[in-house]
Amino acid sequence: MKWPLFENNIKEKLSNHSSEIDIDNLWGNLESEVDAINNQKKKRRGFVWFLFGGMVAIVFGLGFFYWNADRLENVNLASSISENQEVKATRLVEKEVEIKPIERGVINSESVSHDDLNLSGSNVGSVQETVHSIVNKSVPKSGFESPRVSGINQTKESKSVISEAVPTDLNPKTSLLEESNTDEKLTDVEIVEPIETEESVAKKETQEVIKEAENSTPIVIEKEEIISPEKVDAKEDLSPPNENKEDKKKLFKFAFSAQASISFTDRKLEEKLDTFTQLRALRNVSERMLETSQLGLRITVEHTSGFDLTSGINYTQINERFRYNESVITQDSVPGIQFFVRNFQNELDTIFGNVPITKTTTFNKKYYNKYRLIEVPILLGWTKKFQKVRVGAQAGIFANISMKSVGHVLKSESEDFDVEVDEIYKTNIGLSYYFGVSAGYIFKDNFELYASPFACIFSKSFTKDTYGLSQKYRLYGVNVGVRIGF
Amino acid sequence: MVTEKKLIQDCQKGIKSSQYLLVKRYSGMLLTVCRRYARDESMAKDVLQESLIRIFQNIGKYQERGSFEAWMRQIAVRRSLQWLEKSSFKYEIHAEEMPDKEVTIPEIYTQLGAEEIMVLINKLPSGFRTVFNLYVVEGFSHKEIGNLLDITENTSRSQLARARKVLQQKLKNPKKNSRHEVAIIRK
């Protein structure tokens, strides 16, 4: 058997050979290490989800907070209106009030004089609660429509008020209000109960007042005008202006956007030591930059001032093409003329035998290298809206969560290696920087199509510290996406 | 019978039973690789353990473009070489290139089993053995060996030539070998 055959025999036998080993003993030694690896992977995966979940929770939490803040503002507004109504009620007492049967729906502009009121400090308390309930009922959250309208007294100081909820069968005398405390606090509102002993007198006076009212020019007050909180606010000017309320309601807006981009890739390969200059040159020759694609989901919190804060999740894939010709040189022998010898007769003899030859085989190798990154953007921006067009600018950081590299690069002049096996690339490259401007067209109030030219700078090397070259990128591209406001 | 694909997927997910199955299925083959490079059995088992840990750490990166066995074998070879490097093994032994000669090996040697061949190869000096294994068994080129071991191509060639020479001498003159070797070889 020839030697090469013997070597093939060795290769065949050793390649398929399996040594005996105590598996349980081996697994016993490995188990703790395997558990640690599994836990590490779970932690890494958990951290990514935690980061993403936390980010979403913060954004939605802020949204919920401001949403509720608006509602709280409305509730406070309603309370304010209620208090105003109470003040009005006491002011009425301060003047003269006459409540007519609701069906009449008119009031007397020349109201009853103070003397006409049946004032009494002794029978106040029992009716005080009724007054409050009337006032509260008169301030519904949204509008008010009472089937009945009662008359009110219109005075110089106060031109409104009312008390719709007063029962129709209420004796006018019993509705007379009295201010039990003369100071300016207007807190003790008292309503005088009818006094049995003066019943006939009061009745008479009331009839006179009604008569006068019927003869005088009536002022018809619209139900809404009387009881609508907005109207009351406008007249009394006791609540914040409407513009301010609107501002507070729209202090923050939220928008969700989805975008994609194709960008030009600028790679910067630098040697860390002079000895790697040749390797850099080799890699620059064998590798060519292709496009970089990005996909992103963003949530934006916009302030009325025009500034906004954006976060979300971003996927980036940097593509490169690696191509080189690999030459494999092999030694072989073929039968042929080994040499010539001159014999004793001075003739030339040909000696045949195996002649060594060198074979050179060239392989054209081509790989597409991919660097896949998952990032969380944190961007501060400013936008300005012009009718249907919105322009803006954004700047911030991209926090890298993970990076995966696949492909081949040259290790020496004629040898490449798999970057996954040799692990020359990092799995996390930290922070990168983003600058961009944007212009969008607003189709509807909450739907926008936009384009955003940007530059993204990866200031840290993709390669590990132990590798001889540093590899950095700059991306210049355009994001195109849709934004939905909510 | 769990398929290789399913086994890989489960190991990528970190399923322990599958990881055990992988160890059970492939550790014998990997131990053979490690034994060819290691100086002794103890070192071979240590290298095997490290290789398996490395495999579990990186199995997520494995893509079905090549043979899974070849991928694992490559990891085991690299770990073995790192161990040899750690133990101050130096490959830079320059030697003149010795061309192969037409050597005929007795047919009896084709009957040798894998274990016998391994005993034979393990008798080679460490540097020769490494280059011989890389070139003959793993199929690396001299350039690749040079890069792996941080030696020149010529050094790799001369190491291989010397390894062959030593092996040929051992096979030609089994009497010079120790009794134990002869017994194994002639078994």
Side-chain angles (χ1 to χ4, degrees):
Chain A
M1 184 175 61
K2 299 289 183 189
W3 181 259
L5 286 175
F6 179 66
E7 282 189 353
N8 285 340
N9 186 35
I10 290 175
K11 183 179 180 178
E12 191 181 329
K13 283 182 177 171
L14 291 185
S15 298
N16 299 324
H17 181 59
S18 178
S19 300
E20 285 184 10
I21 187 168
D22 182 359
I23 299 292
D24 290 333
N25 187 32
L26 176 65
W27 181 249
N29 294 333
L30 276 174
E31 197 171 4
S32 58
E33 297 279 355
V34 171
D35 285 340
I37 292 166
N38 292 342
N39 289 337
Q40 201 178 353
K41 281 181 182 172
K42 279 179 190 170
K43 274 183 187 172
R44 202 181 298 161
R45 212 177 299 147
F47 177 72
V48 171
W49 282 111
F50 172 78
L51 198 67
F52 181 69
M55 187 191 65
V56 171
I58 288 169
V59 171
F60 278 95
L62 281 171
F64 185 75
F65 174 77
Y66 284 110
W67 177 268
N68 273 353
D70 285 348
R71 295 180 67 183
L72 192 64
E73 192 67 32
N74 289 338
V75 171
N76 290 338
L77 186 65
S79 304
S80 169
I81 291 165
S82 177
E83 285 169 10
N84 292 339
Q85 287 293 93
E86 202 168 337
V87 169
K88 286 172 209 160
T90 47
R91 283 181 182 176
L92 274 176
V93 175
E94 193 175 6
K95 303 299 174 184
E96 296 86 11
V97 175
E98 179 191 19
I99 298 173
K100 291 184 176 183
I102 290 169
E103 287 79 7
R104 289 175 181 270
V106 294
I107 61 169
N108 191 352
S109 60
E110 299 292 326
S111 71
V112 186
S113 69
H114 195 280
D115 294 336
D116 294 332
L117 287 169
N118 189 2
L119 302 176
S120 170
S122 60
N123 46 9
V124 169
S126 61
V127 187
Q128 187 172 2
E129 190 179 341
T130 309
V131 171
H132 282 284
S133 68
I134 289 168
V135 170
N136 287 336
K137 280 182 186 175
S138 69
V139 188
K141 277 187 178 181
S142 59
F144 176 79
E145 288 185 10
S146 169
R148 298 166 179 178
V149 179
S150 67
I152 65 165
N153 183 18
Q154 193 172 23
T155 67
K156 290 175 185 176
E157 291 80 9
S158 170
K159 291 189 174 182
S160 63
V161 190
I162 82 9
S163 82
E164 75 8 61
V166 177
T168 52
D169 58 349
L170 185 67
N171 188 330
K173 285 182 186 175
T174 65
S175 303
L176 298 176
L177 306 177
E178 179 185 53
E179 182 181 10
S180 62
N181 191 349
T182 54
D183 68 21
E184 290 300 317
K185 288 181 182 176
L186 302 174
T187 51
D188 296 326
V189 180
E190 294 177 353
I191 297 175
V192 180
E193 288 279 3
I195 301 166
E196 292 290 333
T197 54
E198 298 176 355
E199 185 178 3
S200 57
V201 177
K203 192 175 181 180
K204 189 178 177 183
E205 287 174 349
T206 303
Q207 285 172 350
E208 287 174 1
V209 169
I210 292 169
K211 200 172 181 179
E212 285 178 14
E214 285 172 349
N215 293 332
S216 66
T217 307
I219 299 172
V220 179
I221 300 175
E222 299 279 338
K223 281 190 272 185
E224 290 77 13
E225 281 183 10
I226 295 168
I227 59 175
S228 167
E230 287 79 11
K231 295 284 181 183
V232 171
D233 290 337
K235 289 176 180 175
E236 296 292 327
D237 198 23
L238 293 171
S239 60
N242 283 337
E243 291 86 7
N244 291 340
K245 280 186 275 178
E246 286 298 313
D247 285 348
K248 281 179 183 173
K249 279 181 183 175
K250 295 178 181 177
L251 197 59
F252 287 98
K253 285 182 179 177
F254 291 84
F256 173 80
S257 54
Q259 63 182 35
S261 75
I262 297 288
S263 48
F264 166 76
T265 312
D266 176 25
R267 188 179 79 172
K268 200 174 181 185
L269 206 58
E270 286 180 327
E271 63 271 20
K272 291 173 185 170
L273 295 169
D274 290 341
T275 50
F276 296 105
T277 307
Q278 193 187 357
L279 179 60
R280 177 179 59 81
L282 286 170
R283 285 198 55 186
N284 278 334
V285 169
S286 61
E287 294 167 38
R288 183 183 166 192
M289 299 306 102
L290 300 176
E291 81 291 340
T292 294
S293 49
Q294 288 186 313
L295 293 171
L297 296 174
R298 307 281 168 84
I299 293 173
T300 303
V301 183
E302 299 172 354
H303 190 260
T304 46
S305 61
F307 287 99
D308 59 58
L309 186 66
T310 300
S311 189
I313 194 88
N314 208 67
Y315 171 77
T316 302
Q317 181 170 305
I318 299 172
N319 300 302
E320 293 172 2
R321 190 183 65 198
F322 166 71
R323 184 159 65 181
Y324 88 110
N325 293 325
E326 182 185 33
S327 297
V328 177
I329 300 169
T330 52
Q331 299 284 345
D332 205 349
S333 60
V334 292
I337 299 169
Q338 278 190 321
F339 46 86
F340 299 98
V341 293
R342 196 170 289 278
N343 62 21
F344 293 111
Q345 284 81 35
N346 204 23
E347 293 170 339
L348 209 58
D349 287 340
T350 308
I351 307 297
F352 292 93
N354 284 332
V355 181
I357 58 161
T358 303
K359 280 184 185 174
T360 304
T361 314
T362 304
F363 299 96
N364 186 0
K365 285 190 171 182
K366 187 162 79 172
Y367 294 96
Y368 286 96
N369 295 349
K370 296 180 178 75
Y371 306 95
R372 296 170 178 143
L373 299 95
I374 295 176
E375 299 152 311
V376 173
I378 300 167
L379 306 173
L380 188 63
W382 176 84
T383 54
K384 181 79 178 171
K385 193 175 170 185
F386 302 99
Q387 292 181 340
K388 290 276 183 182
V389 177
R390 183 206 294 264
V391 293
Q394 280 188 320
I397 55 168
F398 275 38
N400 183 238
I401 296 175
S402 73
M403 185 180 86
K404 187 178 180 182
S405 311
V406 294
H408 286 237
V409 295
L410 274 185
K411 192 174 187 180
S412 65
E413 194 172 350
S414 59
E415 189 204 354
D416 66 307
F417 60 80
D418 188 340
V419 297
E420 284 185 273
V421 174
D422 284 75
E423 296 181 346
I424 62 166
Y425 290 106
K426 295 173 183 172
T427 53
N428 190 314
I429 54 161
L431 300 179
S432 52
Y433 305 96
Y434 175 95
F435 309 94
V437 292
S438 65
Y441 183 80
I442 302 165
F443 287 94
K444 291 180 182 176
D445 285 344
N446 57 353
F447 183 80
E448 179 187 340
L449 183 65
Y450 66 92
S452 170
F454 70 92
C456 190
I457 299 167
F458 295 93
S459 62
K460 291 186 179 169
S461 174
F462 279 34
T463 56
K464 288 182 177 175
D465 295 338
T466 50
Y467 187 66
L469 302 175
S470 77
Q471 189 172 331
K472 298 174 184 176
Y473 289 90
R474 288 180 181 186
L475 309 178
Y476 305 100
V478 179
N479 279 314
V480 177
V482 291
R483 184 207 303 260
I484 299 165
F486 60 93
Chain B
M1 177 75 176
V2 182
T3 61
E4 186 181 87
K5 190 176 179 181
K6 172 76 176 155
L7 185 67
I8 295 165
Q9 285 172 348
D10 288 350
C11 286
Q12 285 172 340
K13 288 174 190 168
I15 297 170
K16 212 169 169 183
S17 58
S18 298
Q19 288 168 329
Y20 174 76
L21 195 61
L22 186 143
V23 170
K24 196 174 178 181
R25 194 179 285 184
Y26 295 109
S27 57
M29 177 270 291
L30 293 171
L31 182 61
T32 304
V33 176
C34 299
R35 280 174 66 200
R36 281 193 278 110
Y37 294 91
R39 280 196 300 271
D40 49 45
E41 286 290 319
S42 164
M43 180 180 166
K45 284 179 181 172
D46 287 343
V47 175
L48 173 67
Q49 277 190 32
E50 279 202 8
S51 302
L52 286 166
I53 289 167
R54 193 83 172 163
I55 286 165
F56 288 131
Q57 279 174 338
N58 293 288
I59 197 164
K61 296 176 182 175
Y62 170 73
Q63 291 179 342
E64 296 169 18
R65 287 186 301 194
S67 155
F68 183 55
E69 271 193 35
W71 181 75
M72 287 193 296
R73 195 189 294 268
Q74 201 176 12
I75 288 175
V77 169
R78 285 174 191 274
R79 296 312 293 175
S80 301
L81 295 178
Q82 282 178 4
W83 264 75
L84 289 171
E85 201 174 21
K86 265 196 280 185
S87 44
S88 305
F89 177 79
K90 297 293 177 190
Y91 299 96
E92 285 288 0
I93 304 165
H94 295 279
E96 71 281 8
E97 189 165 349
M98 290 186 286
D100 298 338
K101 291 181 180 177
E102 287 292 314
V103 178
T104 305
I105 308 295
E107 285 295 323
I108 189 169
Y109 289 107
T110 57
Q111 305 301 316
L112 288 177
E115 284 294 331
E116 288 78 19
I117 292 170
M118 283 186 67
V119 170
L120 197 64
I121 292 172
N122 283 343
K123 288 296 171 189
L124 291 172
S126 185
F128 296 173
R129 186 176 70 234
T130 304
V131 175
F132 184 84
N133 275 321
L134 289 171
Y135 187 86
V136 176
V137 186
E138 316 298 347
F140 285 105
S141 69
H142 285 297
K143 277 184 183 174
E144 289 169 331
I145 294 169
N147 285 317
L148 272 174
L149 303 180
D150 199 21
I151 59 175
T152 63
E153 279 182 58
N154 282 336
T155 305
S156 172
R157 281 201 178 87
S158 65
Q159 295 272 27
L160 177 67
R162 284 189 169 207
R164 281 171 171 164
K165 184 85 177 170
V166 173
L167 266 179
Q168 284 167 10
Q169 283 171 355
K170 281 181 182 289
L171 292 169
K172 274 184 180 176
N173 306 306
K175 286 178 187 174
K176 287 184 181 176
N177 299 331
S178 67
R179 279 184 181 180
H180 179 66
E181 272 181 73
V182 174
I184 289 173
I185 292 169
R186 289 189 168 173
K187 191 169 66 177

